[in-house]
Every structure is written in structure tokens, then in C-alpha cells.
């Protein structure tokens, strides 16, 4: 198999890799905020349940969570295994990343000085207005570096979808490597991931720069 | 100034590492006679006919998830037909056996990188292996690939699976067949789902995510014997043979193992081990050949 | 106690206010009233409860007991707060200037000043025009598009004052407005406060600037240990205080 054929075949899987990447971000970024707010809830039960949820998701391997989401329903209830593996893959990724994002959000929210809330309260901002207009924009700026970190990790983590046989780029690479007894597909995969992350770095860098207008 | 110092330190470190790398084999070569205890597996290959006083360590590479040939037993130790035969052969040779679980789709890379001395685990002999220079033992098992389906699915032949989804394990001969000799058959399927373990293939089948699993006959029959509701389509889709893979240049090692296994066949040990594995006994070439 | 719902000369009236943090009693039975157009200064050592008093008056702290009335209407009656909606209405009557400015760092000066009134439904153009006027008054002409981080402490505090004024409050609270500033920057802030006093803005100022308090106030209150030790008109208060504790405090400040 020529290098070109290899790259073409793996590029086909790259679409699925991108699907995992973008769908995971689409769901986990807002879900993480909900989890963070539940985690900071004044209701003890809600916050401890959420804390437990976060600790399980952060304390167990993503690979295990992928298996649990994909095959768990079958082993527990005899339910059918999803034919379209993108669904369980995105569910597992989104939940896992939401847990990480939640802790980043929480750190960011707790780092905002109380004076910002008080100033907004005295000026008559409602709770929602205070959060959306005053707190959240400042949180976003503060957490951007940590978010970039997670997003870069997510690019590499997409390769874990192979554990549930989702034919993304790395799975295809492994198949080619195996049938061709060649190490080349792994080199190609490495280059793909590197370039992907270069793009991510560039985009995130642009966003950080746009938030640089204030300190 | 500080920068200079750190650069110097880094340089010194690199030099030291190079020196170690170069120097390491030297003392071993200098002192084989006065330090026989130091001679372990790689050194044994250098020393000619004399058998070293220490036991030779032989590392067997297996797929730990490939019953009944090699798997993790109920007691937590690796077992299986291949493992038992290898243990008996090592006992005969006076070697110490160590078992190494390989990542199946990386098995040859791991063999090359000395992580194990052989791959011996229901491994299908492929032409590509000999072409790549690996030393392959005489085949000891005749394997056949079959399609396993759910008993109530009503599929009777491979033709019935046109437009259906078929699972196969990554890195198995089944996968190689579907991409090679059986590509025509594979093209009639809706798609082929490549899983990284047999358990996942079977779970996909159990959970109705795929319609059939393309798998080695003995694996299929042992699974069907243990689990209700599965059927094997009576159609042999690729006759293959199992052998043991060694690194190129390890022909001597291969011969030692082959000789020991032959001795086990002659003294009856081989047949005794095989009795524990009724599913595969009919396919063993040394017993039926 | 009589219900007083008729028009009152006092914009703010506090009666028997009590506040404690766990076991520590910070405000013990504080009563005061501020008449329209007057300036009241509150002085006292740190921990005397003067900031807590302002924070209770602006609902940032919840009082444990007593009354808070705005324009003769109860915001807090016997430690019981009015419903949320009417508290929001009371909030429009006062503004608060913080020690640490608490400007919104991600907003331009203009947005810092104009967003709250616009959110309250005021006409955007009118608010912007008012903001420009206020900035001019604060000596910050042309700073509309600057961000807080580009301004000095004194400029930031003046923006904060403009922000509070943009809400058109009836009374303005200052919580140690110059304490976070370098000494050479306090003057510019005190100058604009004095200017507001000249325009008869009603204000309550918690401060350590004795000379300023003396010059600008109609009434001075000295607090210590959660009680009002002494109060009076500035000339009498600073010239001839009646309490030994007051004299001692003022002596420390004159040195």
C-alpha cells in the first residue's frame, strides 16, 4: 500500500475523529457549566452527589467509561448495543469532559472577587444578569489556558474510541498497520494529531488574544 | 552564566549516557568466564554448545484473551493449551518460562523489540510473516474460520449475510482474510466492524449491534458451548494453520522448541494436555496427522 | 413606635440596627437619620462597625434586628426584610462606592457606567449622554473607551462614582473611598466628592480623612465597638468633643 493510499484511507477516519471532537465540545462545555453550578449548590445533597459524580468520572479511565456506556446497558438490562458507535462514544466523552470542565469552571468562578457580585447587586443586576454579564465573561478569560489544555488532550483522546470499535482515524491506522505489517500508519497518525493540535492551538491562541484587551 | 551552566550540565549528562550505553556490553563480554552467574538469556546465545549453569529464560508471547489457547485462568495465572505445552517443553529443556501478554495487533513489533522470544498463541501463519523474515515453526494446528450468528437469526450461509454487519477481531487471521482472500465476501456485507477483542465481538453480537462474528472455529465452538443461543454457520471460510513465530536469526531456538514439543508428543504428554481441551483436539496436527 | 408612611425629611433612617457575625456583635443598637441634601461622615477605628453599617444600609449584609427606612418606607422592619421586589425598588434609591472600586474589568468605562441604567429600562441614548456628562464632571473627559486597567486608582474610583451616579440615586454611600489609593491620588477623589456636596447630593461617607470630613459634612458620627460613641456638627465635634474616647481617637489622627 502506498503512503498516499494510507493517508487517504486514514483521512476518511479523520472525519469521524473530528465528529467526536466537535460533538464532545458542543455537549461537554455547557454540560460542564451545569455540573459546576450543581457542584457549587448550597444544597448539601446536590453538591455532594455532584462531587461524587465528578470524582468517579475523573477517577476512572476514560476507556472504562467508554466500555461502560457502550456495553453497560447490554450487560445490565440486555439492551441492544448501539449500531452507530458515535452515539455512545460522544455520550461517554461528553460526560467525562464535562466533569473536567466543571472543575475548571468552578475554579474560575470561585476566583472572581466577591466585590464584583456586590457591585452588581448594588447596581440592581439580577442574579442571572450578574452571572451572564459580569462573572462569566471574566471566568472565560481566566480559564482559557486550562480549557486549551483539555481541548488538546481531547484531540489525542479521540483515539480511545477504538476500544468500542468506532472506526475513527487511529482505528483505521491500526488496521492498516496490522494488515501491512508496517509502522508507517502510526507515523501518519502522529502527524495528523500534531497538525490537528496545531490548528487547535492557533484557534485557542486567537481567542485568548481577543480576550487580552483587559487585565 | 546560569544558562551556560545548565547547557554544560545537559551536555555532560548526554555524554555520560552515551558512555554508559557504549560501555555497558563491554564488561559482560570481558568476564564471561569468571562470572557465569551473570550469563542470562541473551548471553546464552553467544556461548556455543555448553549449557549455562543458570537456567535459560524463555519468554513466551501470548494473547491473554484467546481461549482455549492462552488466557487468564480461574486462579489468576495464564493457562491454555499453548501455555501448558510451552511449560512442558521448557521443563524438558530445563528452561525457565516467563509469559508475556502481547498486544495482539502489535505482536510482531513486540517480538522484534525483544519483549518476548516467540509469539505462541493460536497464531495463524501468514505468508507475510515469512516474507518479513520471521522464523515460523512447523504448523501444529489446523484452523478454520467460521461465521457465528444468533441461533434464532435464521442465517444459514454466508450469502444470507449480504447487507449485514459482521464483526471481526483486529489483528486476527479473520480480519486479514476479509481484507485479502475473502474480500469479495466482505464486500457483500454492509460493513465489517473491527473490535479489539473477541469478547467485544461477541458482545456486539449479543447486543444485536452486529449480525455475525467472523472467528476461528475453535473459539466459536467453545463460546457456543458455554453460551446458549448461538449457532455456527456450517461453512468453512478459510483453512489456516497455527504456528509459533520467532525473530529472524532464532532458527536454533525454534529448532529447540520444536524438538522439545516432538519429544512431548512421543512421550504422551502432548496428548494428555490436549485432553483438557476437547474443543481443539480434533484440529491438532501432531495427534491427527 | 408609630408607623411613619408620610413624607419624611429623612432619605435614610436607621433605628436600633443590630448585626452580629456568629458570636461577634458588630452593630449594637445603631440609630441615625440622614436628611435630604446633607452629608454625614462616619469615622472610627477599624472594626468599629462603620463599614458594616453601610453594607447593611445597602443590603449587602443582612441585619439581625432593627429598622431601615428609605423616605419613610420600611425596607427592614424589626429585622424583617421587605419582599425581594420592593427591596429591588429600594436599591434604586441609593448608590455605593467601594473602597476597592469594584469596576467591571471587562467593560469599557462607558459600559461600566451605562449598562445598569440601560438594564433598568432607561433610554440608551439618554444614558450615554448622561454618562458623558458625568465623566466630564469627574474630570475624565474622553475616557469613555478606556478599560479600568488602563486607568490610575484615582481615575478608577472616579469612574466608580460616575457609575453610581448614573443610576440617579437619592443618596450615595462611600465606603472608605480613598483608603486603597496612593496618598497623592486621594485629592482628586475627595475633590469630586466635595463638588457633589456643593451640589447638595445626599451622602454618607465612611472615611479616615478627618480634615475632609470636617470640611464637607453637616453631621459627624464617631463609632467604636459597634455603638455610636458621639455625634454632632463638625465644628463642635472636632473642636470640642465631649467624650474622652473621641478625644483619644482624634489625638491619634492629628499626629
Amino acid at each position: 500500500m502506498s503512503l498516499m493510499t494510507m493517508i487517504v484511507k486514514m483521512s476518511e477516519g479523520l472525519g469521524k475523529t473530528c465528529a467526536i471532537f466537535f460533538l464532545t465540545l458542543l455537549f461537554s462545555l455547557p454540560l460542564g457549566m451545569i455540573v459546576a453550578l450543581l457542584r457549587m449548590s448550597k444544597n448539601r445533597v446536590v453538591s455532594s452527589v455532584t462531587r461524587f459524580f465528578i470524582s468517579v468520572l475523573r477517577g476512572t479511565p476514560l476507556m472504562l467509561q467508554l466500555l461502560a456506556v457502550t456495553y453497560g446497558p447490554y450487560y445490565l438490562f440486555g439492551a441492544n448495543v448501539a449500531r452507530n458507535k458515535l452515539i455512545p462514544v460522544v455520550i461517554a466523552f461528553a460526560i467525562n469532559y464535562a466533569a473536567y470542565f466543571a472543575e475548571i469552571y468552578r475554579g474560575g468562578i470561585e476566583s472572581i472577587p466577591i466585590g464584583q457580585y456586590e457591585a452588581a447587586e448594588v447596581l440592581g443586576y439580577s442574579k442571572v444578569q450578574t452571572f451572564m454579564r459580569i462573572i462569566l465573561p471574566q471566568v472565560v478569560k481566566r480559564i482559557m489556558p486550562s480549557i486549551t489544555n483539555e481541548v488538546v488532550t481531547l484531540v489525542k483522546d479521540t483515539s480511545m474510541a477504538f476500544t468500542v470499535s468506532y472506526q475513527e482515524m487511529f482505528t483505521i491506522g491500526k488496521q492498516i498497520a496490522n494488515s501491512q505489517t508496517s509502522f508507517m500508519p502510526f507515523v501518519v497518525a502522529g502527524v495528523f494529531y500534531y497538525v490537528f493540535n496545531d490548528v487547535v492551538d492557533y484557534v485557542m491562541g486567537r481567542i485568548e488574544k481577543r480576550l487580552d484587551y483587559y487585565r | 552564566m546560569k544558562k551556560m551552566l545548565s547547557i554544560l550540565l545537559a551536555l555532560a549528562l548526554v555524554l555520560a549516557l552515551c558512555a554508559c550505553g557504549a560501555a555497558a556490553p563491554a564488561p559482560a563480554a570481558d568476564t564471561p568466564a569468571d562470572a557465569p552467574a551473570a550469563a542470562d538469556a541473551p548471553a546464552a546465545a553467544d556461548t556455543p554448545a555448553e549449557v549455562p549453569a543458570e537456567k535459560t529464560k524463555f519468554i513466551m508471547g501470548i494473547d491473554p484473551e484467546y481461549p482455549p489457547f492462552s488466557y487468564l485462568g480461574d486462579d489468576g495465572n495464564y493457562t491454555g493449551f499453548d501455555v501448558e505445552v510451552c511449560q512442558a517443553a521448557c521443563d524438558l529443556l530445563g528452561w525457565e518460562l516467563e509469559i508475556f501478554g502481547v498486544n495482539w495487533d502489535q505482536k510482531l513489533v513486540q517480538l522484534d523489540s525483544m519483549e518476548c522470544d516467540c509469539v505462541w498463541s493460536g497464531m495463524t501463519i501468514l505468508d507475510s510473516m515469512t516474507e518479513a523474515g520471521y522464523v515460523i515453526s512447523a504448523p501444529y494446528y489446523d484452523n478454520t474460520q467460521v461465521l457465528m450468528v444468533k441461533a434464532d437469526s435464521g442465517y444459514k450461509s454466508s450469502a444470507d449475510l449480504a447487507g449485514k454487519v459482521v464483526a471481526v477481531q483486529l489483528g486476527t487471521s479473520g480480519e486479514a482474510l476479509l481484507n485479502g482472500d475473502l474480500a469479495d465476501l466482505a464486500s457483500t456485507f454492509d460493513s465489517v466492524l473491527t473490535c479489539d477483542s473477541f469478547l467485544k465481538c461477541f458482545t456486539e453480537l449479543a447486543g444485536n449491534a452486529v449480525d455475525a462474528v467472523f472467528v476461528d472455529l475453535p473459539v466459536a465452538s467453545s463460546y457456543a458451548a458455554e453460551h446458549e443461543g448461538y449457532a455456527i454457520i456450517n461453512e468453512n471460510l478459510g483453512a489456516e494453520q497455527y504456528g509459533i513465530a520467532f525473530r529472524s536469526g532464532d532458527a536454533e531456538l525454534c529448532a529447540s522448541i520444536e524438538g522439545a514439543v516432538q519429544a512431548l508428543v512421543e512421550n504422551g504428554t502432548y496428548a494428555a494436555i490436549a485432553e483438557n481441551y476437547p474443543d481443539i483436539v480434533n484440529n491438532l496436527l501432531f495427534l491427527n496427522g | 413606635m408609630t408607623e411613619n408612611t408620610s413624607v419624611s425629611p429623612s432619605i435614610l433612617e436607621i433605628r436600633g440596627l443590630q448585626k452580629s457575625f456568629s458570636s461577634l456583635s458588630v452593630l449594637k443598637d445603631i440609630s441615625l437619620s440622614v436628611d435630604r441634601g446633607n452629608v454625614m461622615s462616619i469615622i472610627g477605628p477599624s472594626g468599629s462597625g462603620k463599614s458594616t453599617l453601610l453594607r447593611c444600609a445597602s443590603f449587602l449584609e443582612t441585619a439581625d434586628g432593627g429598622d431601615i427606612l428609605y423616605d419613610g418606607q420600611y425596607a427592614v422592619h424589626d429585622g424583617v426584610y421587605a419582599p425581594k421586589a420592593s427591596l429591588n425598588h429600594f436599591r434604586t434609591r441609593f448608590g455605593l462606592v467601594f473602597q476597592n472600586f469594584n469596576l467591571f474589568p471587562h467593560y469599557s468605562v462607558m459600559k461600566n457606567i451605562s449598562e445598569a441604567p440601560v438594564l433598568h429600562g432607561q433610554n440608551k441614548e439618554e444614558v450615554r449622554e448622561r454618562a458623558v456628562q458625568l465623566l466630564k464632571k469627574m474630570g475624565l473627559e474622553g475616557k469613555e473607551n478606556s478599560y479600568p486597567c488602563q486607568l490610575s486608582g484615582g481615575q478608577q474610583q472616579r469612574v466608580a462614582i460616575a457609575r453610581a451616579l448614573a443610576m440617579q440615586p437619592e443618596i450615595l454611600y462611600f465606603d472608605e473611598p480613598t483608603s486603597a489609593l496612593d496618598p497623592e491620588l486621594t485629592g482628586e477623589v475627595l475633590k469630586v466628592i466635595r463638588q457633589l456636596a456643593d451640589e447638595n447630593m445626599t451622602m454618607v461617607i465612611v472615611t479616615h480623612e478627618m480634615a475632609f470630613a470636617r470640611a464637607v459634612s453637616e453631621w459627624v458620627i464617631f463609632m467604636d465597638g459597634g455603638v455610636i460613641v458621639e455625634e454632632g456638627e463638625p465644628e463642635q465635634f472636632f473642636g470640642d468633643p465631649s467624650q474622652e474616647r473621641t478625644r483619644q481617637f482624634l489625638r491619634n489622627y492629628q499626629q
Side-chain angles (χ1 to χ4, degrees):
Chain A
M1 185 183 285
S2 76
L3 184 63
M4 205 52 222
T5 333
M6 210 177 268
I7 292 173
V8 168
K9 284 208 85 136
M10 289 174 73
S11 304
E12 288 165 14
L14 200 59
K16 295 189 170 183
T17 299
C18 290
I20 303 173
F21 176 78
F22 287 112
L23 290 174
T24 300
L25 287 184
L26 180 70
F27 293 116
S28 63
L29 284 169
L31 182 62
M33 184 53 78
I34 295 170
V35 174
L37 294 175
L38 291 176
R39 170 76 178 80
M40 292 186 295
S41 162
K42 288 195 181 86
N43 182 326
R44 278 276 172 79
V45 178
V46 172
S47 75
S48 10
V49 167
T50 315
R51 191 165 70 191
F52 176 72
F53 164 83
I54 292 172
S55 75
V56 168
L57 289 170
R58 301 210 310 170
T60 58
L62 175 55
M63 198 178 278
L64 217 57
Q65 294 165 25
L66 273 165
L67 289 173
V69 172
T70 311
Y71 300 120
Y74 165 72
Y75 282 110
L76 291 175
F77 318 113
N80 280 353
V81 174
R83 284 205 175 215
N84 184 354
K85 291 295 185 299
L86 182 61
I87 295 164
V89 165
V90 168
I91 290 175
F93 269 86
I95 292 175
N96 179 274
Y97 272 79
Y100 282 91
F101 286 141
E103 288 298 89
I104 293 174
Y105 291 148
R106 185 171 69 93
I109 291 170
E110 287 177 353
S111 77
I112 302 296
I114 185 108
Q116 294 289 306
Y117 292 91
E118 292 182 344
E121 187 182 331
V122 172
L123 288 167
Y125 286 74
S126 70
K127 283 242 156 60
V128 174
Q129 284 169 341
T130 303
F131 186 74
M132 297 306 288
R133 290 168 182 269
I134 307 301
I135 306 304
L136 193 56
Q138 297 186 56
V139 168
V140 169
K141 181 184 165 74
R142 286 181 191 215
I143 63 176
M144 264 331 264
S146 316
I147 295 285
T148 304
N149 251 337
E150 287 303 320
V151 173
V152 166
T153 308
L154 172 61
V155 171
K156 295 175 284 180
D157 274 357
T158 54
S159 65
M160 247 182 265
F162 89 91
T163 51
V164 293
S165 319
Y166 185 62
Q167 314 277 313
E168 44 69 62
M169 188 256 290
F170 194 66
T171 311
I172 293 176
K174 280 179 90 160
Q175 288 165 13
I176 298 173
N178 188 55
S179 59
Q180 303 291 309
T181 13
S182 156
F183 204 73
M184 208 52 210
F186 295 122
V187 177
V188 173
V191 172
F192 272 145
Y193 285 123
Y194 180 77
V195 172
F196 197 154
N197 263 332
D198 245 23
V199 174
V200 167
D201 253 353
Y202 174 76
V203 172
M204 299 304 272
R206 283 293 292 269
I207 297 174
E208 278 187 48
K209 209 160 192 165
R210 281 193 59 176
L211 294 172
D212 245 3
Y213 65 89
Y214 73 94
R215 252 178 303 132
Chain B
M1 192 61 211
K2 243 183 181 167
K3 213 170 186 181
M4 264 311 253
L5 198 69
S6 55
I7 291 171
L8 279 173
L9 269 174
L11 270 174
L13 196 67
V14 170
L15 281 173
L17 283 173
C18 292
C20 286
D30 285 347
T31 56
D34 27 11
D40 45 21
D46 296 336
T47 31
E50 298 150 272
V51 178
E54 280 296 299
K55 275 191 173 179
T56 302
K57 204 200 291 176
F58 181 68
I59 307 174
M60 176 196 198
I62 62 160
D63 177 354
E65 293 179 56
Y66 198 66
F69 291 93
S70 52
Y71 58 99
L72 205 56
D74 293 335
D75 59 355
N77 293 318
Y78 291 124
T79 184
F81 176 74
D82 284 346
V83 174
E84 285 196 48
V85 170
C86 186
Q87 182 65 61
C90 285
D91 290 347
L92 207 65
L93 292 164
W95 292 354
E96 187 189 337
L97 174 64
E98 189 182 312
I99 296 173
F100 176 75
V102 300
N103 181 349
W104 195 246
D105 49 317
Q106 294 298 313
K107 56 186 180 290
L108 295 177
V109 175
Q110 289 179 300
L111 177 63
D112 281 337
S113 59
M114 319 283 279
E115 286 180 80
C116 54
D117 297 319
C118 73
V119 178
W120 185 349
S121 187
M123 184 195 75
T124 303
I125 301 170
L126 298 177
D127 291 342
S128 64
M129 291 176 184
T130 25
E131 281 161 20
Y134 294 99
V135 174
I136 307 293
S137 74
Y140 63 92
Y141 183 86
D142 187 50
N143 179 45
T144 301
Q145 300 290 318
V146 291
L147 282 158
M148 191 164 85
V149 296
K150 282 198 158 177
D152 56 12
S153 65
Y155 302 131
K156 296 283 175 239
S157 74
S158 56
D160 291 343
L161 288 163
K164 304 296 176 192
V165 184
V166 177
V168 67
Q169 188 192 352
L170 180 65
T172 58
S173 51
E175 192 210 1
L177 274 173
L178 290 181
N179 286 321
D181 291 352
L182 294 179
D184 286 345
L185 173 65
S187 67
T188 69
F189 301 150
D190 171 74
S191 60
V192 174
L193 186 75
T194 315
C195 305
D196 66 344
S197 79
F198 273 127
L199 177 65
K200 283 179 195 161
C201 289
F202 289 130
T203 310
E204 297 279 354
L205 179 61
N208 299 316
V210 301
D211 305 289
V213 178
F214 190 59
V215 61
D216 294 350
L217 174 61
V219 180
S221 41
S222 82
Y223 192 85
E226 281 171 33
H227 300 82
E228 267 181 40
Y230 296 96
I232 295 165
I233 290 181
N234 192 10
E235 195 176 337
N236 293 348
L237 288 168
E240 301 167 336
Q241 293 180 320
Y242 287 174
I244 311 163
F246 299 86
R247 277 182 292 276
S248 62
D250 272 353
E252 231 172 286
L253 185 62
C254 176
S256 306
I257 291 289
E258 280 183 323
V261 171
Q262 213 44 55
L264 294 173
V265 172
E266 277 155 28
N267 72 16
T269 316
Y270 196 84
I273 294 171
E275 266 178 39
N276 299 328
Y277 301 92
D279 291 336
I280 61 169
V281 73
N282 293 331
N283 300 48
L284 288 168
L285 294 168
F286 298 151
L287 298 183
N288 306 296
Chain C
M1 202 178 288
T2 55
E3 287 288 331
N4 187 355
T5 49
S6 62
V7 178
S8 151
S10 305
I11 290 181
L12 171 71
E13 188 175 355
I14 288 174
R15 298 185 201 138
L17 195 70
Q18 291 177 3
K19 171 71 185 172
S20 41
F21 293 111
S22 58
S23 64
L24 182 72
S25 182
V26 186
L27 296 178
K28 305 166 186 163
D29 196 26
I30 299 288
S31 298
L32 57 83
S33 71
V34 184
D35 287 351
R36 201 174 294 273
N38 278 4
V39 176
M40 174 187 281
S41 290
I42 303 177
I43 62 172
S46 359
S48 58
K50 50 195 195 306
S51 282
T52 308
L53 176 60
L54 271 196
R55 292 169 60 82
C56 282
S58 48
F59 311 146
L60 289 177
E61 302 286 355
T62 307
D64 302 328
D67 306 329
I68 298 175
L69 297 88
Y70 279 98
D71 234 350
Q73 291 172 300
Y74 281 102
V76 182
H77 194 174
D78 244 352
V80 179
Y81 278 72
K84 205 177 156 192
S86 72
L87 279 186
N88 283 340
H89 186 70
F90 283 117
R91 273 196 189 93
T92 62
R93 292 174 173 267
F94 60 79
L96 175 60
V97 175
F98 297 85
Q99 182 176 344
N100 296 316
F101 332 137
N102 290 337
L103 291 177
F104 303 134
H106 57 305
Y107 281 176
S108 67
V109 165
M110 174 53 83
K111 200 166 182 191
N112 259 288
I113 297 172
S114 61
E115 190 179 71
V118 171
L119 287 177
H120 278 81
Q122 297 185 28
N123 179 288
K124 201 171 173 177
E125 280 314 305
E126 281 172 30
V127 171
R128 288 183 70 90
E129 208 158 296
R130 194 190 310 148
V132 171
Q133 292 305 316
L134 281 167
L135 282 174
K136 200 169 166 185
K137 195 158 142 187
M138 295 294 132
L140 292 169
E141 245 180 315
K143 294 287 186 194
E144 287 85 352
N145 297 319
S146 300
Y147 283 87
C149 62
Q150 298 166 319
L151 303 177
S152 73
Q155 290 173 322
Q156 289 190 48
Q157 190 61 300
R158 283 181 281 150
V159 172
I161 295 170
R163 180 174 70 174
L165 287 171
M167 292 292 288
Q168 299 177 307
E170 294 168 44
I171 181 169
L172 194 52
Y173 302 139
F174 290 86
D175 186 4
E176 303 195 24
T178 58
S179 296
L181 296 176
D182 291 337
E184 71 264 28
L185 298 178
T186 58
E188 58 190 60
V189 172
L190 295 179
K191 197 180 129 206
V192 301
I193 300 176
R194 188 183 299 234
Q195 193 186 328
L196 292 173
D198 293 344
E199 295 168 7
N200 291 325
M201 180 77 207
T202 315
M203 296 186 281
V204 177
I205 307 170
V206 169
T207 186
H208 292 294
E209 302 285 337
M210 296 305 149
F212 172 73
R214 184 171 189 163
V216 85
S217 319
E218 269 80 27
W219 199 252
V220 181
I221 285 180
F222 172 56
M223 280 182 72
D224 192 16
V227 295
I228 295 176
V229 175
E230 181 167 359
E231 56 186 312
E233 289 176 357
E235 286 313 311
Q236 183 263 322
F237 180 92
F238 287 103
D240 181 23
S242 62
Q243 300 291 319
E244 175 51 32
R245 181 72 191 90
T246 315
R247 281 197 286 272
Q248 193 190 340
F249 176 77
L250 291 175
R251 261 202 307 280
N252 287 343
Y253 259 90
Q254 269 146 18
Q255 279 158 13

